[in-house]
């Protein structure tokens, strides 16, 4: 895995990452982060919420930017310094 140098970067370059969020992903993230909000881990509770089902942790989905920056564009060794996130829709299992 080789990253791009600053000279190799240009406006308009793109990278994509996709994954299917699983129940295991949600439980693992809850375990690592300590966020066991029932909206994420309890289907009975979540059924009574605005979303009607469990949703993934927002920060789980936001963390995928690190996947792109650190492995694709610019690539290995890259570290980003900040992130601003606006969640437009929930991410559900599957």
């Amino acid at each position: 895995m080789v990253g791009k140098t600053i000279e190799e970067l240009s406006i308009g370059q793109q990278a994509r990452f996709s994954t299917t969020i699983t129940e295991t992903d949600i439980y693992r993230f809850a375990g690592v982060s300590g966020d066991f909000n029932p909206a994420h881990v309890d289907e009975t509770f979540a059924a009574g919420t605005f979303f009607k089902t469990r949703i993934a942790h927002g920060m789980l989905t936001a963390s995928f930017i690190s996947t792109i920056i650190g492995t694709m564009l610019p690539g290995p060794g890259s570290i980003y310094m900040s992130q601003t996130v606006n969640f437009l829709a929930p991410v559900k299992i599957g």
Side-chain angles (χ1 to χ4, degrees):
M1 206 182 301
V2 178
K4 296 188 179 301
T5 65
I6 193 77
E7 292 80 20
E8 295 173 309
L9 295 176
S10 62
I11 294 173
Q13 286 179 307
Q14 298 180 14
R16 292 177 187 253
F17 172 79
S18 70
T19 189
T20 300
I21 300 294
T22 66
E23 185 169 12
T24 300
D25 295 327
I26 290 174
Y27 280 110
R28 285 183 175 173
F29 191 84
V32 169
S33 67
D35 181 355
F36 288 92
N37 180 332
H40 306 305
V41 299
D42 182 334
E43 187 61 46
T44 302
F45 176 89
T49 68
F50 175 79
F51 301 113
K52 306 297 184 211
T53 191
R54 291 186 298 154
I55 59 172
H57 300 77
M59 294 313 295
L60 169 60
T61 61
S63 72
F64 295 137
I65 190 67
S66 183
T67 300
I68 291 179
I69 292 171
T71 67
M72 299 174 190
L73 187 64
S78 300
I79 303 294
Y80 67 103
M81 303 296 290
S82 69
Q83 179 175 349
T84 301
V85 181
N86 292 310
F87 300 105
L88 302 179
V91 173
K92 298 176 182 177
I93 295 172

